[in-house]
Amino acid sequence: MSDKILVLYPTNPKAIVDDLESLIESLQRFGFLGEAYEWYGETHYRPGPLFLRYITFLSSHEVIVINGGIDPASAPRVDSRERVHISIPSPTSEPEFFGGANVLPPRCPKCGHYYQGDIIELLNAWYIDKENFRWHCPICGTVFSVYEMDWRQQGGFGRQQIQIWGVWPGEARPSEEMYRLLEELTGFDWTYCYYRF
Ligand SMILES: [Zn+2]
């Protein structure tokens, strides 16, 4: 099972796609998404024929394909770019944190100061009052929501995601063409982060 994901999500953490079915159809028509299939009980999609135009790989890794108890030593090895799959879950009712084992201390977006405290504590404080929680930068004194802090692409917040499974942190990112397409189809800006668990 794959456990590292490139997550594309709207820059506005509250934004959601009105008609997900229609977005999925468009993403198939534009060659980003391929056919749907069932993956551990969920609907996932294979990459479409133009997938690599939308997602730029800086590197990749070798994947050992283990099916039905084959000895891993003799199992086939393929490039990870051939094994990615995509999931577009329904939006959540409020912003959630997209972060896993790879989360790093966020930075102040104004002065660049690295948050020094416990990240879990920061997230808990946000979680119990998502609307009103603010972080005060101890260096420049500016006040931010957690959404405005710089999570350095190792975490993000939102209600809507496009998940690309099988991408290690730093391996790939959306191309300008992907940002343009998503903006055209949804009417808002998108960004990305990595999630590894
Ligand atoms: Zn600051």
Side-chain angles (χ1 to χ4, degrees), residues 71-93:
D71 172 14
S74 60
R77 285 158 163 73
V78 299
D79 187 275
S80 62
R81 281 171 287 198
E82 293 169 31
R83 301 292 293 182
V84 296
H85 46 112
I86 301 142
S87 159
I88 308 187
S90 299
T92 50
S93 57

Side-chain angles (χ1 to χ4, degrees), residues 41-105:
E42 306 276 338
T43 300
H44 278 216
Y45 300 85
R46 300 194 197 283
L50 300 180
F51 178 77
L52 292 177
R53 185 188 288 182
Y54 296 112
I55 301 295
T56 305
F57 277 79
L58 312 168
S59 60
S60 57
H61 59 273
E62 195 175 65
V63 176
I64 301 174
V65 184
I66 301 174
N67 284 323
I70 296 176
D71 172 14
S74 60
R77 285 158 163 73
V78 299
D79 187 275
S80 62
R81 281 171 287 198
E82 293 169 31
R83 301 292 293 182
V84 296
H85 46 112
I86 301 142
S87 159
I88 308 187
S90 299
T92 50
S93 57
E94 47 182 66
E96 299 298 339
F97 180 56
F98 312 140
N102 57 312
V103 171
L104 296 173

Side-chain angles (χ1 to χ4, degrees), residues 155-188:
F157 297 84
R159 297 178 55 193
Q160 185 83 63
Q161 311 176 54
I162 297 175
Q163 302 175 334
I164 302 168
W165 291 67
V167 178
W168 280 103
E171 264 187 351
R173 57 181 181 227
S175 69
E176 285 307 316
E177 208 163 339
M178 183 81 229
Y179 287 126
R180 252 196 319 271
L181 179 64
L182 286 174
E183 200 209 323
E184 255 173 54
L185 295 175
T186 64
F188 41 77

Side-chain angles (χ1 to χ4, degrees), residues 5-6 102 153-155 168-170 172-173 192-196:
I5 303 175
L6 168 62
N102 57 312
Q153 257 85 50
Q154 306 299 321
W168 280 103
R173 57 181 181 227
Y192 73 98
C193 70
Y194 302 100
Y195 181 93
R196 178 170 63 77

Side-chain angles (χ1 to χ4, degrees), residues 108 111 113 137 140:
C108 170
C111 73
H113 169 68
C137 175
C140 69

